[in-house]
Amino acid sequence: MPLVLPRRARVRIRGGGLSTLVFLIPLLLVFGVFSWIPIGRAVVMSFQETNLVTPSTFVGLQNFRDVLADPLLWTAVKNTLYFAFLALLFGYPVPLVAAVLMSEVRRFKSLYSALAYLPVVIPPVVAVLLWKFFYDAGPTGVFNTILGYVGIGPVSWLQDSASVMPSLVLEATWAAAGGTVIIYLAALTGVSTDLYEAAEIDRASIWRKVWHVTMPQLRGVLLITFILQIVGTAQVFLEPFLFTDGGPANSTTTLLLLIYNYAFANSLGGEYGMATALSIMLAVVLGLLSVLYFRLTRGWSKS
């Protein structure tokens, strides 16, 4: 008996849907092999006791219980929230302000855009090592030398629990702000010039134009970058790992660094079950937070 396709499916195939599907198959295969299969494997490992050397043993929810019972987990949660708070407080508005100021410049705008994006081009490891040199706690350190000119310092940037997290946020903001600046600059090109001309006729200052014209027109972009900022800061790993390795006194141990320590701190074989369990917990929390955020801001983004 011949296969009879529904009318809607036949219309889609005749309209080019089949060729589109053929081109999508390699992408779907690659995405499935390198994304969904590892995710599924991680979910399975979260219910096993395994070090990838000896045979794995099914332990149910024991890995989740062990993670929740680890006192270092709540230290990592507190440090991650602190990093996210500082990054949102300082790192989120900086790209927007920089983009608005560059959009007002009449000359050399391309040069300023290139300079703003330059830190993104620098390899992250190189950027961290460079800033680690800047953060030298001695009086001859780059930042301490600058502060010495005004009679301040020297400051123990990475050795003091009070200053280490702001120091990491400062470097992370410098390294990542350039990409967001370019996004904002592209979004600003879609803002009607008539609105700015009307504001200039009313003799509005640049800050009033930003608040009453630019911000309302960029609502959708601001909402997306805000949730991306939250997700990105919740997964901070590179800076704590390379700058301080979680120190001093675990004051920069974040959730991803704790996951890394679970899996790789023991050279004889890590607790991969606990590492994947904490990974799944973090992914679920971020997913629920994203859904809640978009539901709460749905009306505001469309108004």
Side-chain angles (χ1 to χ4, degrees), residues 23-96:
F23 280 105
L24 279 177
I25 287 176
L27 177 62
L28 294 175
L29 289 176
V30 171
F31 187 77
V33 170
F34 292 101
S35 295
W36 288 109
I37 291 180
I39 291 174
R41 176 59 178 152
V43 173
V44 173
M45 287 177 61
S46 67
F47 298 102
Q48 296 176 335
E49 181 179 351
T50 178
N51 56 11
L52 301 183
V53 178
T54 59
S56 58
T57 304
F58 180 78
V59 293
L61 298 176
Q62 187 59 43
N63 288 322
F64 294 90
R65 298 190 189 99
D66 291 341
V67 170
L68 293 175
D70 186 358
L72 197 55
L73 170 66
W74 307 111
T75 300
V77 170
K78 182 187 68 174
N79 293 335
T80 303
L81 291 177
Y82 184 40
F83 183 95
F85 170 75
L86 291 178
L88 290 174
L89 185 63
F90 299 106
Y92 183 68
V94 165
L96 178 60

Side-chain angles (χ1 to χ4, degrees), residues 17-18 44 70 73 86 98 101 133 175 178 199 203 244 250 264 274 279:
L18 181 60
V44 173
D70 186 358
L73 170 66
L86 291 178
L101 292 177
F133 172 74
R203 298 182 179 180
T244 61
N250 290 321
F264 303 109
M274 293 179 61
S279 301

Side-chain angles (χ1 to χ4, degrees), residues 1-295:
M1 182 177 180
L3 177 64
V4 180
L5 296 175
R7 181 176 180 276
R8 182 178 297 179
R10 294 198 303 270
V11 171
R12 288 182 178 177
I13 293 175
R14 291 172 183 174
L18 181 60
S19 60
T20 302
L21 180 61
V22 170
F23 280 105
L24 279 177
I25 287 176
L27 177 62
L28 294 175
L29 289 176
V30 171
F31 187 77
V33 170
F34 292 101
S35 295
W36 288 109
I37 291 180
I39 291 174
R41 176 59 178 152
V43 173
V44 173
M45 287 177 61
S46 67
F47 298 102
Q48 296 176 335
E49 181 179 351
T50 178
N51 56 11
L52 301 183
V53 178
T54 59
S56 58
T57 304
F58 180 78
V59 293
L61 298 176
Q62 187 59 43
N63 288 322
F64 294 90
R65 298 190 189 99
D66 291 341
V67 170
L68 293 175
D70 186 358
L72 197 55
L73 170 66
W74 307 111
T75 300
V77 170
K78 182 187 68 174
N79 293 335
T80 303
L81 291 177
Y82 184 40
F83 183 95
F85 170 75
L86 291 178
L88 290 174
L89 185 63
F90 299 106
Y92 183 68
V94 165
L96 178 60
V97 173
V100 170
L101 292 177
M102 282 190 286
S103 67
E104 294 292 326
V105 175
R106 303 304 179 188
R107 301 178 60 186
F108 307 114
K109 184 180 296 186
S110 299
L111 175 62
Y112 295 139
S113 301
L115 291 176
Y117 193 74
L118 183 61
V120 182
V121 180
I122 300 176
V125 175
V126 175
V128 170
L129 295 177
L130 178 65
W131 276 70
K132 199 170 185 178
F133 172 74
F134 292 162
Y135 282 139
D136 189 342
T140 58
V142 176
F143 290 155
N144 281 338
T145 300
I146 297 173
L147 292 178
Y149 292 145
V150 294
I152 303 176
V155 178
S156 300
W157 300 97
L158 303 178
Q159 292 75 29
D160 188 353
S161 300
S163 62
V164 62
M165 193 64 81
S167 300
L168 268 59
V169 170
L170 179 62
E171 187 279 334
T173 300
W174 172 85
T180 311
V181 168
I182 299 302
I183 293 175
Y184 287 146
L185 284 174
L188 285 170
T189 60
V191 179
S192 175
T193 56
D194 295 338
L195 298 176
Y196 288 114
E197 292 175 357
E200 290 180 358
I201 293 175
D202 292 337
R203 298 182 179 180
S205 64
I206 181 174
W207 300 114
R208 292 183 64 87
K209 286 192 291 184
V210 169
W211 185 255
H212 295 287
V213 178
T214 305
M215 296 289 286
Q217 297 296 313
L218 297 183
R219 283 180 177 177
V221 177
L222 290 172
L223 291 173
I224 296 298
T225 55
F226 186 79
I227 191 62
L228 290 177
Q229 179 92 349
I230 294 176
V231 173
T233 54
Q235 300 180 77
V236 60
F237 169 77
L238 185 67
E239 287 78 12
F241 178 66
L242 292 180
F243 271 119
T244 61
D245 196 20
N250 290 321
S251 59
T252 57
T253 299
T254 59
L255 287 172
L256 253 66
L257 185 56
L258 183 60
I259 293 172
Y260 174 87
N261 289 336
Y262 281 154
F264 303 109
N266 187 351
S267 60
L268 298 178
E271 294 286 349
Y272 292 98
M274 293 179 61
T276 53
L278 182 52
S279 301
I280 297 300
M281 292 165 62
L282 178 61
V284 170
V285 170
L286 290 178
L288 293 176
L289 182 62
S290 300
V291 172
L292 177 63
Y293 174 79
F294 282 117
R295 284 187 176 274

